Amino acid sequence: HKAHPGPDDFRAYAKRREREAVDGLAALGVPRRRLVFLGFPDRGLCPILCEHPADHPPYYRSPFTAEDRPLPREALLPGTEYDSADLERELGRVIASFRPTLIVAPEIADQHPDHCATYFFVRDALDRCGAACAPRPVVLDYLVHFDTWPGTAGASLRPPSGLPVRADWV
């Protein structure tokens, strides 16, 4: 609620969102020690996906913090910068080390740019992971942002009008 927030304000907001995620997952029975935060920038995933695919400069630079890489304590792999190749590598490492049987990720049609980009990063990380991720986990997609949905869906939460149907709706 500041007229002109600076980089420290955005970092504090990120920490607050991280605490909310930790608390929410704790309510679901997931202990903090099992969580990994990659430190990639809010509102930066779509530009990273579309404009910074390769692992070479210029890297994406957050307009909020002016950083072009996660803080060293947040990066899983040394030399990680804000680019698609590094994000896929980090996701692949998490998936290969954890070996999940289920991954829940945003739906490709989610209209929030970070959510839509996350769909592609998860898919590409799984594709690159290959045998290290075998057997391939089941991927469930969830939808948060799509036009006026879920506000217009009522209690039934039927698929929103216009959503491309690619799989069964649950």
Side-chain angles (χ1 to χ4, degrees), residues 55-75:
D55 188 12
H56 61 72
Y59 304 109
Y60 174 78
R61 186 169 297 278
S62 169
F64 307 113
T65 64
E67 299 292 339
D68 67 353
R69 64 197 68 225
L71 297 174
R73 70 176 180 274
E74 294 173 331

Side-chain angles (χ1 to χ4, degrees), residues 29-168:
V30 180
R32 174 64 179 101
R33 73 185 191 300
R34 300 299 300 194
L35 304 182
V36 176
F37 293 94
L38 300 181
F40 277 72
D42 191 28
R43 298 187 191 173
L45 298 185
C46 190
I48 289 171
L49 177 68
C50 297
E51 301 164 20
H52 301 275
D55 188 12
H56 61 72
Y59 304 109
Y60 174 78
R61 186 169 297 278
S62 169
F64 307 113
T65 64
E67 299 292 339
D68 67 353
R69 64 197 68 225
L71 297 174
R73 70 176 180 274
E74 294 173 331
L76 299 178
L77 301 169
T80 296
E81 292 95 8
Y82 291 157
D83 63 70
S84 292
D86 283 355
L87 180 50
E88 288 172 22
R89 226 180 340 265
E90 292 225 331
L91 279 172
R93 180 176 176 156
V94 170
I95 294 167
S97 66
F98 185 70
R99 301 190 62 131
T101 57
L102 173 70
I103 293 177
V104 182
E107 155 72 37
I108 188 175
D110 194 300
Q111 292 173 336
H112 187 291
D114 278 352
H115 294 196
C116 180
T118 299
Y119 167 87
F120 288 101
F121 284 123
V122 169
R123 184 201 63 194
D124 292 348
L126 279 170
D127 289 346
R128 285 183 171 204
C129 199
C133 297
R136 188 176 177 105
V138 172
V139 179
L140 295 179
D141 300 335
Y142 64 88
L143 182 64
V144 177
H145 307 277
F146 192 85
D147 197 25
T148 59
W149 190 88
T152 59
S156 69
L157 291 182
R158 287 184 286 274
S161 175
L163 179 71
V165 178
R166 295 183 0 267
D168 294 331

